[in-house]
Every structure is written in structure tokens, then in C-alpha cells.
Amino acid sequence: MPKRSPDRKIEDNCPKRLCLHPPDRLSSLSDELILRTLSYLPVSELVVCERLSHRLKGLAKDSQLWKSAYYNQFVRPRASRIPGLRGGELSARSLFYSSKISKWLEDDHLVKRGRATNWKRQFKLRHNWSRGNCKVSETQVAERPSAPPLLVQLHEGVVVTVDSVDGLRAWQMKGAHNQLASMALICNEIPSGKIFGPSSLAIDPSNSTLEKIDIAIGFTDGRFGIYRLSINERIFVHNYTHVPSSNGTVSAVAYASPYLLTMTESQLLSLYRFENMADDSLGNATFAPPTLLSSLKSHTAWPPLCLTIRASSSNILASIAYAMPTYLAGWSVGLQELRLTSEGNILESRLCSALNQGFAPLSTPDPAPSPDPRTPSPRRRGVDPAMLAPSTKPTSLSYNHPYLLAAHPDNTLTLYMVTSNAQDLSIGTGNRLWGHTSSVSGAYVGDRGKAVSVSAQGNELRVWELEGGTSSIASRRRIAAGATSVQVRPENRDIGSHALDHSLTEAIGHGLRIGLTTGLSSGEIATNKGWVAFDEEKVIVLGEKIHGTQTLIVYDFT
């Protein structure tokens, strides 16, 4: 083929080659304009932008972007269910996001403690809770069962356990689940050195911090003791032990310094107040004996019990929620309140019950368990819920005003809304919660209406969103449709077959867990011990293996 002449004019009729690299007009924009553009993107595309360049990675992680996404995804739907904010232009303006607002609907816990909030992490955490996505691990706390049984409490990622064999111990649930401290529970005043078995355990939520945890323990001989855990020093400090009582075992205890509420086996409710509790930073002080403010004898309060102490600016409320047997109506629930002034003077004592809320008589057979959570609830089948009210004794009670949650052996829970004000104390009509496929052994309700329940076999865990209760038609519809809970099972699942929003999974990244990502088989846990608790990041369940080993099963939603 002859060579072309350099000066030969070549006429090319082919179209010009397209430019593979269009001009970069985005880089010339200011950060403010790019942030404004990113604010219109959904979460799935927002995280994809983090992978495009170093500059976009930093801008796409902007706190205000994720704060807005958190509000629109989780806060605004909650606000839309509040009566008085639905419909009309006023409600639309009221629910519009503003970057100047940092506290919405009791979400102020996200901006406390003087530190910046990682809103992307909070979005991811809240998303995992709403979908039941987490990983599971376990920590052995006892080689064999103890008598009385092992007691457990959770506070800010620290688990406190106590039993008659290993004494008082604390475990850090972050990281490797290491043991923080331990103390043997030996009474030095008795020559025989007898160890009194602990029968109840409580943590003071009002006075406990990230550095210290105040603890109250009740014993089988009627004693109760006050202890403090210094997390930084990794030690327990003993502050006080009360003398034995002839009223029997302290079956339940609540502690909110300086008040202590106890319930004994003989159904004696007692309220104490400690004086002159000044101590050093480690809690090294021996408290003086407390003052008995009130003592009430009950003939209708039966376990399971739940004691609480709530403090306000004007008074103190000490409450006990209890199971109550009746002659013709089976088992019901009751609530008693002691209202005191801030100085400790008793103003009044009030009680109420759910006795007249349609409980079935003792002769009525228990409703058959639903074999499948997809089975329509009685509300959807046109059955009167009052006719299915349980006559059997509840397996657990949890009270966090205004939510009173009872678990039952017939695979269901009952939610009661409590009204407590200066004029009235009442328990609303119980509403059945459906979803479990086996007997519910334990349930715990926390702040903002979030609750967790666990089955007796320990292989079924459900997370409930009870906010709004049954005050509106929409809330009752959500309960009847079974849309108030999500289920988490301790088993591995195939990521490709999981029905999670694929775009959001890809967007937030590989950090999202699909189901439970460790190989904990449900057959390894023989029974659940009926204790379950949670904080912002984790759910912890006390379980017992087939050969008797007791473990803490940790569900991590981070």
C-alpha cells in the first residue's frame, strides 16, 4: 500500500470521534452548592457519591445531610402520627425539617454529653433496628445454674450480674465482652461466713453515668445492700447492707438515689430514703441506715412484679406493677403509686387495675397458640378481643410510663396504656400483640415505646415499636395488622435471598448485617431464663444451654 503524501489533503467524511471525557463542571462549584445538590439525593445515591472522589467523600458525609435524612426517615413519620399535627398546611410547616432544630420528640439523647453526634452512624443504627438486622455473640457467665437464679441488669453497655456462687460481677459488652470487676457477697458479721443468696437486682438510672453505676441488691433473708461500680477503676465498692428482716425474701427492688423501693415475699411494699450520702469519686462511703417513709401490706400483688421510681421537679412517684389473681376473672394486672414531695413527705397512695377490661373467667380454656405469625389476628377475623383475654398468669411484666407490657404463655403480649396525673390513675383497655410462635418468657419496654420480647425457647426475638399506643385509629390498625414488630432469629441467612431493600443495603455499605451473621445455632440454647434488656445499640438475653451453662446472648445492631 503506497504511503500518503504529507501534503496530500485527506477528505474524511466519517463523523468526529466522541469525547470520552466531558468537561468537569462539578469541580468548579463551591462546597455549599454541592451540599445543596446532595441534599436532594436519596440515601442510596448519597453513599454512592462517597466513592466518586475524595472531595465528594468528605461532602457526602456531612453531618447536616445525614441529620436531615434521619429526620425524614424516622422522626417525621412518628410526628405525623401525633394527634393535632395531621392534615392542613400548619401540620406540613410544623413537620418540615430545620437544621437549627436538634431535638425532636424525645430524641434529645442523641445530642447530649457535650459531643458531636455522628448522624450517619445514628441513621445506620436506627435502620438496623427497624429491619431487625444485627449480629449475635455470646458470653458465658456461669458454668452451672445457681439457686437462687442468676440476676442480670444492663446500663450503658455494661452488664451487672449477681448470684450466690460467683458474687457480684460486671461485664463490658463493647468489644471483647471482658469482665470489668467482681466482688464476693460474703457477710462478715456471721461467724460461719454464710453467703446470702441474692434474690433481686436493680440499677439506679438517674445517678449512674459512664464512669460509675449505683446498684441495689435484695437477698433471700430480707436484707438489701447498696454497691457502686467504678468503671474506670474496675472495682466494686460496698456502701450499705440492711439488717435481715422477718418479712422474707426481697423479691423486687427499685433504686433511684436517695430512694429505695422494695417488695418482700410476704407482699410488704416499703419505701426508704437515704440521708447524707456524700462520698468521694469512687463511692467510698458507708451510708447511714435509711429512713422508712412508708410500708404497705398487700393481699393482691403477686409476681411477676415491676418496681419503678420516677422523679419530677415537684414530686416523687414510686410505682409497683403486679399480677393480680381474681375469683371470676382469672389473672389481671394492677398498679399502685406512692406520690411524695421532694422532701419525702407522702402526699397520697393510689391504685388501679385492669380488672374490668374483659378478662375471661377461670373456666374458659386458654386460647390456642397461633402456629404461624401470618395467621390473621382475632381483630382481623372479627373476634372480640375481650373474649380472648388471658386467664393464665403472665410470665413477665414491664412498666415504663405510660407503657405497661405483659407477656403470656399463649404466644402473645398485652399492651396497656397507663394514665397518671394529678387527677387520675387508670389502666386502659389491654390490646393484644401478635407475632410470636411460641410462649413468651420475657419482655422489656424502654423509653419512647420501644420494647423487646423473647420466646421461652430463646430462638425467637421480636422488637416492638409501641409509640402512640392505642390512642388513634392508625395505631390500632398497626397493632391489628401485626406491623408493630420485626423479628430477629439467631441463624445465618443468605444475603442474596434476604428481603431487605437492596438499594439501601448497597448504599450504606457492607457494614449492614443481614440477619444474624455468626453461627449461633438455635439448638444450642435449651431455654431462655426470662430476662431480656436493651440499650441504644444492643439487646441482651440470658439463656441456658442444654448442659446447664448460662450465657449472655448479645444482639448487636451497630
Side-chain angles (χ1 to χ4, degrees):
M1 181 177 181
K3 293 183 180 181
R4 294 181 181 179
S5 173
D7 56 348
R8 180 181 177 182
K9 184 177 180 180
I10 302 177
E11 295 183 0
D12 191 359
N13 296 326
C14 297
K16 294 183 179 180
R17 182 178 300 177
L18 295 177
C19 181
L20 298 180
H21 302 284
D24 183 6
R25 297 184 177 90
L26 187 63
S27 299
S28 61
L29 299 179
S30 64
D31 290 349
E32 290 76 10
L33 289 176
I34 295 179
L35 286 173
R36 181 69 174 178
T37 304
L38 294 178
S39 66
Y40 293 100
L41 297 179
V43 172
S44 57
E45 297 180 11
L46 183 61
V47 182
V48 171
C49 290
E50 297 182 11
R51 309 171 187 175
L52 299 181
S53 67
H54 291 287
R55 184 188 181 193
L56 286 177
K57 180 178 181 180
L59 293 175
K61 289 183 177 181
D62 184 78
S63 178
Q64 290 299 325
L65 291 178
W66 287 98
K67 186 176 181 181
S68 176
Y70 182 94
Y71 177 87
N72 293 323
Q73 182 74 19
F74 303 113
V75 179
R76 191 170 183 176
R78 293 172 56 203
S80 63
R81 295 194 295 265
I82 297 178
L85 290 181
R86 298 190 298 267
E89 295 182 0
L90 179 61
S91 62
R93 292 195 301 268
S94 301
L95 300 180
F96 188 75
Y97 170 75
S98 172
S99 61
K100 296 180 180 179
I101 301 176
S102 58
K103 300 180 181 181
W104 322 290
L105 300 178
E106 299 182 354
D107 275 334
D108 54 319
H109 64 287
L110 301 178
V111 293
K112 64 182 181 180
R113 296 173 187 155
R115 61 187 182 190
T117 302
N118 187 337
W119 287 102
K120 180 180 178 181
R121 183 179 184 276
Q122 290 297 331
F123 185 97
K124 178 180 174 181
L125 180 63
R126 190 70 175 269
H127 173 78
N128 286 346
W129 274 102
S130 65
R131 302 301 177 91
N133 302 331
C134 61
K135 67 177 181 179
V136 66
S137 59
E138 62 176 284
T139 299
Q140 179 176 323
V141 293
E143 295 183 356
R144 60 185 184 277
S146 61
L150 178 76
L151 303 172
V152 190
Q153 286 291 340
L154 171 66
H155 177 77
E156 296 289 349
V158 176
V159 169
V160 177
T161 66
V162 62
D163 62 354
S164 58
V165 177
D166 298 303
L168 183 61
R169 293 175 293 170
W171 309 79
Q172 179 62 261
M173 289 295 102
K174 295 181 179 180
H177 301 177
N178 296 323
Q179 182 173 321
L180 286 175
S182 63
M183 171 183 284
L185 297 178
I186 300 177
C187 181
N188 297 326
E189 299 178 4
I190 303 301
S192 61
K194 180 181 178 181
I195 301 178
F196 297 100
S199 55
S200 56
L201 174 65
I203 288 178
D204 180 5
S206 61
N207 199 39
S208 299
T209 64
L210 294 176
E211 290 78 29
K212 63 182 178 66
I213 298 178
D214 291 335
I215 304 164
I217 302 176
F219 294 89
T220 54
D221 62 347
R223 294 172 178 255
F224 59 81
I226 304 297
Y227 302 83
R228 171 170 290 182
L229 168 64
S230 176
I231 298 178
N232 295 334
E233 301 295 331
R234 304 172 69 93
I235 60 172
F236 282 105
V237 178
H238 172 243
N239 296 127
Y240 176 77
T241 296
H242 200 59
V243 296
S245 172
S246 60
N247 296 309
T249 300
V250 179
S251 55
V253 61
Y255 186 34
S257 179
Y259 298 98
L260 181 73
L261 186 65
T262 64
M263 185 68 172
T264 64
E265 190 178 23
S266 60
Q267 298 181 331
L268 182 67
L269 181 67
S270 302
L271 180 63
Y272 299 88
R273 176 175 177 171
F274 288 92
E275 306 288 347
N276 302 323
M277 300 178 63
D279 52 22
D280 59 21
S281 60
L282 298 181
N284 294 319
T286 301
F287 297 163
T291 302
L292 178 62
L293 299 179
S294 179
S295 185
L296 302 175
K297 180 71 174 181
S298 173
H299 297 282
T300 59
W302 294 84
L305 306 170
C306 182
L307 305 184
T308 60
I309 301 177
R310 293 187 289 129
S312 64
S313 58
S314 59
N315 52 48
I316 307 295
L317 281 178
S319 307
I320 172 174
Y322 52 89
M324 182 176 65
T326 62
Y327 182 67
L328 293 176
W331 286 86
S332 182
V333 295
L335 181 68
Q336 182 164 1
E337 279 189 354
L338 288 175
R339 187 183 296 269
L340 305 91
T341 64
S342 56
E343 292 78 19
N345 300 320
I346 297 180
L347 297 176
E348 61 177 338
S349 174
R350 307 183 296 180
L351 57 86
C352 63
S353 71
L355 179 61
N356 297 324
Q357 305 301 334
F359 277 81
L362 288 173
S363 59
T364 302
D366 296 338
S370 300
D372 193 330
R374 294 171 295 182
T375 301
S377 68
R379 289 185 183 271
R380 285 177 283 174
R381 295 197 303 262
V383 180
D384 184 5
M387 299 303 297
L388 292 178
S391 61
T392 56
K393 185 178 181 181
T395 56
S396 74
L397 278 179
S398 179
Y399 176 51
N400 192 334
H401 184 76
Y403 306 99
L404 176 58
L405 188 62
H408 305 293
D410 64 348
N411 307 2
T412 66
L413 298 95
T414 303
L415 172 65
Y416 304 90
M417 298 301 296
V418 177
T419 300
S420 176
N421 50 46
Q423 294 78 29
D424 183 35
L425 175 65
S426 61
I427 300 178
T429 303
N431 284 268
R432 301 292 288 275
L433 304 180
W434 304 81
H436 277 276
T437 59
S438 60
S439 174
V440 185
S441 64
Y444 175 77
V445 59
D447 297 333
R448 298 175 298 280
K450 180 182 291 185
V452 172
S453 59
V454 63
S455 65
Q457 297 300 321
N459 61 347
E460 187 178 5
L461 183 75
R462 300 195 75 88
V463 179
W464 304 82
E465 290 291 345
L466 306 177
E467 189 175 44
T470 59
S471 58
S472 65
I473 297 178
S475 299
R476 291 191 289 270
R477 286 176 179 174
R478 292 175 66 240
I479 292 177
T484 55
S485 70
V486 294
Q487 181 180 0
V488 180
R489 291 183 181 272
E491 60 187 9
N492 290 322
R493 297 182 181 181
D494 183 10
I495 293 179
S497 62
H498 196 273
L500 182 66
D501 185 357
H502 181 70
S503 63
L504 188 55
T505 303
E506 291 292 326
I508 296 184
H510 302 291
L512 279 181
R513 277 81 177 188
I514 307 301
L516 300 179
T517 59
T518 61
L520 180 62
S521 171
S522 60
E524 296 179 2
I525 303 298
T527 58
N528 171 260
K529 304 304 293 182
W531 179 87
V532 59
F534 65 90
D535 56 15
E536 295 179 8
E537 299 180 353
K538 297 177 176 64
V539 175
I540 300 181
V541 177
L542 177 62
E544 182 176 313
K545 292 190 175 183
I546 298 177
H547 53 275
T549 301
Q550 294 187 325
T551 63
L552 293 176
I553 307 171
V554 182
Y555 300 85
D556 189 353
F557 288 83
T558 59

